[in-house]
Amino acid sequence: MSVYHTPSPSSATSSPLSIDIPQRKCVICLRPAYSNNYGVLTCDACKMFFRRIVILKKDYKCKYDGRCAHVAKSPMVKCKGCRYQQCLDAGMSFQPTFLELTNEKDLDISVTIGNLVFLDTRKSRIMKTQFTDDNLSLEQIVDTRRMKMKSRTINKYISPQDWTFLALYTTVDLLLNLDFMEKLSTPDKLILLRHSASKCALLGGAMRTYLDKKDRMTTVDGQDIYPKEMRALLGFQQGADQFLDRVRSLLISKLAELDVTTEECILISAIIFCDPAVFYDQDNPNAQQIVSAQQQNFTSALSQYCLLMYHRNGPSRLTNLLSLCPIIQKNFEDLQYLTMVFRLAVKGMKFKKIEQELI
């Protein structure tokens, strides 16, 4: 006798392996729906419809003044304007990313920001995984374009001072890879880097700390950016604790207040770096023009980004973001003061060459 048999219909329906999927309907068009999209149970068609309207910023109007479903005597909304309004009324919400908002008309700004994001991502990866024992001057770095990096083991200890060196070097490397730098001579590159590279590194460190959800500046591995010796040096001074707290948290608190995005941060950094004022007392109008034009390009990119992401609030958003520049300058001046005090008080402390040149 065969050991196999065909189950009866009744036994099949009662099998514990059978799954009874409840029939659900899209709250917009009443078609079958299987998942929540942008916070609401909808079909894929309504999901893509809503997404497309938001990204393309379309403004559809109902020719029946919002009564097209009543006129058609059907629960199925035919009008795009009413369909979109129904999506909003149901609670659908979609905040597109910058790249989703860009289109062919925005190709230049998309490329500009995309290149900066790529360089910033590369910088972050190097900070987290590599190190170098090289000690090149800034001019040597500009000429050779790189130090010999090596993989860092998990157990390798890196002091706050060495983290500062690594942050400066990776920032310089990023800035040297900006396209317009190829148009400048070595002396002009050095002028720019000596003036602004540290400020860019400071902003990058503050942004990394903010994204790590910390309210005080730390190294990549979580150490206080200032060694114990520095805190001890200022311990006897009135208001020393408040001063150190300000240096470690002022910029981060402002980034948090404005909820700055990565794209905004790297554009602000690029604007700060491209400061044509550093060439005013130099007999080199060509370099000044190149840097000035690039600063205008980055500022324009930030302005367009704000308009795309914040619409009519874009201009005020741009103003708020640019207000970070004097805060970064003040934070950098405080950092310079602390570094000077530390160098004068702690004898025998050795600093890498680019630390001595840039801070």
Side-chain angles (χ1 to χ4, degrees), residues 324-336:
L324 286 168
C325 295
I327 296 175
I328 296 168
Q329 178 64 34
K330 175 60 178 173
N331 217 165
F332 175 65
E333 291 171 357
D334 290 341
L335 178 62
Q336 282 185 311

Side-chain angles (χ1 to χ4, degrees), residues 254-310:
K254 192 64 178 178
L255 294 174
E257 176 188 333
L258 296 177
D259 194 17
V260 175
T261 67
T262 298
E263 293 86 354
E264 291 168 340
C265 179
I266 57 179
L267 281 170
I268 294 169
S269 183
I271 292 169
I272 291 173
F273 177 62
C274 298
D275 184 1
V278 302
F279 295 105
Y280 283 168
D281 58 349
Q282 306 290 325
D283 187 19
N284 192 344
N286 182 56
Q288 182 178 330
Q289 291 175 2
I290 292 172
V291 174
S292 178
Q294 199 60 43
Q295 187 183 62
Q296 292 175 15
N297 289 340
F298 286 132
T299 304
S300 176
L302 181 59
S303 176
Q304 292 179 61
Y305 176 92
C306 291
L307 290 173
L308 282 168
M309 297 300 293
Y310 305 100

Side-chain angles (χ1 to χ4, degrees), residues 62 70 77 129 184 203 238 246 277 282 300 317 321 343:
C62 175
H70 175 73
V77 177
T129 62
L184 300 178
L203 177 57
Q238 185 176 5
R246 186 184 76 195
Q282 306 290 325
S300 176
R317 177 65 176 180
L321 290 173
R343 287 175 178 172

